[in-house]
Structures are given as structure tokens and as C-alpha cells.
Amino acid sequence: MTNSKFCQRDLGSPFSLSCSGSGAPFLDVTWTKDGNPTDIEPTTVSTTTEADHKIQSTMTIDSIKLYHLGIWNCTILNKNFGNTVNKTYELKYTYPATIVKSPEFDYYKGSKIVDITLTWVVQGWPLDQIRMDCGDISVSRNDDTASIPPQVTFTLVLRMQDVVNCVLINGGKVLETLNITRVGYNCEAGEGGVGKHCENCNTGQTSLAGIGDCFPANSSCTEGFWGVGENCTSCPENQTSFNGTVKIQECFPDVSYCEEGQYGYGTNCSVCPDEKTSTPNAKKLAECNYVRGANNQSSLVAAWTLAGLFFVTTVILSGVVFQKLLRGKCFSTDEGSTHEYVENTITEPPAKSFVAADTTYDNHELYKL
């Protein structure tokens, strides 16, 4: 006859297994675990009466360990007749799988020299149901059955892998899915990796495509080209750049939306210098020219100024010459003053002189300065 019993216990707790029987004339008891003799000595008490023989045996476990788990069997044997009585205990322990440690980020900084190690720690029992799958990349594991609760550590070693997909599984249940990427793997030249994203390198810096590490760079490239040193590449179609451009991201549309009197690219416009203007959509400062009206006005003012000076000078010189021709005294033009005239033998008045109005003497023309 067999009697079975299921027992669920926590690790580290005490537990006792017992069985008893009676018969005549002589009885014996044996214990096995998973079909094998056990090293634990049971406590067995036997009593004998005139009618029969009684026996009771107890197996005591002070602190349950993982190696105590399994099927325990107690067999009581009648030595004379060979009859047996069995009592079976199944000692079990379970603990829900729980992630106690995982990578802080789902990205890593790759290195061609140093390995990058990512670690997961999962508690639970049974451990053999907990596993991690990272595709073609192997993952090492270390089971720690001495800890309470037991735990398993998974270690993933990376160097320059771009993308790694890992799945943590307990039996048929997914505990965690992690998409791990290398910082900068998807960045273009001139971009730096920031986590899983890419940002333009700072001015004066560049990077290599697929690396994402910005570094100082000098460029000898001319307008419409970009590159490092003398290794220059033309900007994309319908785009241009300034001299010394190091990144393709610094190329910009070769178009201007600036208004008249401005210059620049796109809507980034600057005003032409004073007395200069430009046609709409001017791109460069060289396209700003002197304003025609302002230039002519300045020239006109200068011309009139020179003409005035020439006229005054001519009048003065003419007066001096005329005085010499008259060979007389200078006279005043002030009202009320007396005038003394000398007969002039010249029949035509000098150039630029003025004829005194309503003044005639002896049919000779008189001239007044």
C-alpha cells in the first residue's frame, strides 16, 4: 500500500517527514530520496506487544535546501512475510521569476578595443526554465543555487555590433524584450550619436558615417563643397556652402528670398551697405551696387559747386582785365556815390561784364563793375 503527500515549503525552513506501521512479528523501515538511499539518519522508534510490533520513523530536515527537493519514500517491511507499506512525500519549491538587475540603457558606446558587458540577474525557481536569447550572439549564464531565492546571471559581451535583439524568457512567458543599439551606428558623416539618436556636430567638428564620434576638423573646401582637409565633396544638387564647410549638413539651398536692398540665402537676409542696393533675391554682398539716384545727385551737387566756383573766378578775372583796359580809377556802385569815367576806345564790351542800365554819355557805352 502506498500513501502519497505533496509538500510545498520555502527554502531555509525546517521540515519533518514521518511514517508508521504495525505488524507481527518483526518490522523494519527504510528511507530513500528519488529512489536512492539518503545520507540523513531518521529517528526510528519501535515498540513490541504480545499482539504485534509497532514502528514509527521520522526524517527531520533542519533547513530545506535545493538538494532536499524531490520524492521521499518511507518503506515499512514485514521481515517474515515480505509485506510492505510505503509512504511517499514530494517536497517542492517554486519562486516566481523576477528581474532584479538589467542594463540601465538600451544602447551602448561601441569600442574596437574594449569589450562592453551587459548583465541581467533574475531570481526564481526552477532556474532551468529561465533563459535569454540574443540571436546569433551567445549569452553566458551562471546559476547560483546557494542564494535564497536562487538566481541566474546572464552576461552579454558586445564590441561593435550595431543592433542586438534580446529576449528574456521564463518557460513560455516573456519577461523582457530589449533592442540594444550601438551609439552612432545610424548617424551620417557630421553627426554625433546621442543615445539612440543623432545630432549635428558642433561648428568646426565632424564625424565619420556610422561612428557618431565628433572630432575637430579643418576644411580647405571652397564654396559649394564640404569635407575635411582637402578631401572635398560637392554639396547635393541645388545646394551650396560657404568656404571651409566640413559637414554635408552645413550645405544649404542655393536660393534667396531676400527683398530689394538685401542679400543672403533663404530667408537669412542682410541689408546692403549705405548708398547701395540690390535686386530681389540677391545672394551675395557683391550683388549690392551703388544707388543710381543717390550717385547722380551727389555728382550733380559736385558739378554745380564746381560750376559756381568757375563762374565766380571768371567774373573776378574779367573785372581785373577790364579795369586795366579802362586805365582809370575804380568806381563804386553804391547808391549816391560819384562815378568817374574814362572814355573807352573798345567798341565791344569785355566778356562777362555788365552794361550799366540807362547810362549813356556822348554816345559811348559805359561799364560798371
Side-chain angles (χ1 to χ4, degrees):
M1 180 179 69
T2 301
N3 184 15
S4 299
K5 188 175 181 179
F6 169 77
C7 301
Q8 178 79 24
R9 292 293 185 272
D10 292 333
L11 296 182
S13 63
F15 189 65
S16 296
L17 309 173
S18 63
C19 64
S20 60
S22 61
F26 301 103
L27 301 175
D28 191 17
V29 61
T30 58
W31 285 91
T32 61
K33 176 185 174 295
D34 297 328
N36 300 312
T38 176
D39 295 335
I40 302 176
E41 290 294 332
T43 301
T44 303
V45 178
S46 299
T47 59
T48 302
T49 64
E50 293 181 357
D52 58 12
H53 176 205
K54 292 183 178 181
I55 190 171
Q56 180 172 347
S57 181
T58 302
M59 182 72 70
T60 301
I61 301 174
D62 296 330
S63 177
I64 296 179
K65 306 296 182 184
L66 290 175
Y67 55 80
H68 292 139
L69 304 180
I71 298 176
W72 293 81
N73 187 69
C74 174
T75 301
I76 299 176
L77 172 67
N78 186 315
K79 293 183 178 181
N80 287 346
F81 299 100
N83 296 335
T84 61
V85 175
N86 296 298
K87 187 172 185 180
T88 301
Y89 292 89
E90 185 177 3
L91 189 57
K92 286 188 174 184
Y93 167 76
T94 58
Y95 192 91
T98 306
I99 301 174
V100 296
K101 180 182 178 181
S102 63
E104 184 177 359
F105 304 104
D106 57 354
Y107 53 85
Y108 74 101
K109 191 73 172 177
S111 172
K112 295 182 179 180
I113 302 175
V114 181
D115 290 336
I116 306 300
T117 302
L118 303 180
T119 303
W120 289 259
V121 177
V122 184
Q123 293 178 339
W125 189 263
L127 289 180
D128 58 3
Q129 293 187 9
I130 304 173
R131 60 188 180 87
M132 171 165 276
D133 182 6
C134 293
D136 297 335
I137 302 178
S138 61
V139 180
S140 63
R141 66 177 291 157
N142 179 40
D143 294 356
D144 183 5
T145 57
S147 64
I148 299 177
Q151 65 184 27
V152 56
T153 301
F154 296 102
T155 303
L156 176 65
V157 179
L158 300 174
R159 179 160 288 190
M160 288 297 289
Q161 290 85 355
D162 291 341
V163 181
V164 180
N165 294 306
C166 294
V167 182
L168 188 60
I169 303 170
N170 178 37
K173 180 182 178 181
V174 175
L175 299 178
E176 183 180 69
T177 299
L178 205 60
N179 178 267
I180 307 168
T181 60
R182 178 175 59 80
V183 174
Y185 88 96
N186 56 340
C187 295
E188 298 179 356
E191 292 183 334
V194 181
K196 286 192 168 186
H197 308 287
C198 300
E199 295 181 359
N200 289 336
C201 293
N202 295 330
T203 302
Q205 293 187 331
T206 188
S207 68
L208 300 177
I211 301 299
D213 291 329
C214 296
F215 55 86
N218 294 319
S219 175
S220 300
C221 300
T222 57
E223 181 179 331
F225 292 83
W226 64 274
V228 179
E230 297 182 356
N231 185 20
C232 302
T233 303
S234 176
C235 286
E237 186 177 359
N238 298 325
Q239 292 191 9
T240 188
S241 66
F242 297 116
N243 292 335
T245 297
V246 298
K247 297 176 291 186
I248 189 174
Q249 291 82 1
E250 297 177 7
C251 295
F252 49 85
D254 188 13
V255 64
S256 173
Y257 300 106
C258 298
E259 299 177 355
E260 181 179 349
Q262 299 178 338
Y263 68 95
Y265 288 91
T267 57
N268 186 21
C269 303
S270 300
V271 178
C272 289
D274 293 343
E275 299 185 0
K276 288 187 176 183
T277 189
S278 66
T279 59
N281 310 122
K283 301 175 183 177
K284 301 178 182 180
L285 176 60
E287 298 181 49
C288 293
N289 298 310
Y290 283 104
V291 180
R292 182 182 301 276
N295 192 25
N296 289 347
Q297 183 177 4
S298 300
S299 300
L300 186 60
V301 171
W304 277 107
T305 302
L306 292 174
L309 291 174
F310 178 78
F311 177 76
V312 172
T313 303
T314 303
V315 171
I316 294 174
L317 292 176
S318 299
V320 172
V321 173
F322 184 56
Q323 288 184 45
K324 290 182 178 181
L325 291 175
L326 289 176
R327 296 188 305 277
K329 297 180 180 179
C330 293
F331 50 86
S332 174
T333 59
D334 294 336
E335 185 177 355
S337 62
T338 59
H339 303 274
E340 184 177 358
Y341 298 93
V342 177
E343 182 176 313
N344 187 7
T345 59
I346 301 177
T347 58
E348 295 296 332
K352 304 297 181 180
S353 62
F354 296 92
V355 178
D358 301 328
T359 306
T360 306
Y361 293 91
D362 299 329
N363 295 324
H364 290 284
E365 293 183 346
L366 300 179
Y367 301 89
K368 180 172 64 178
L369 293 176

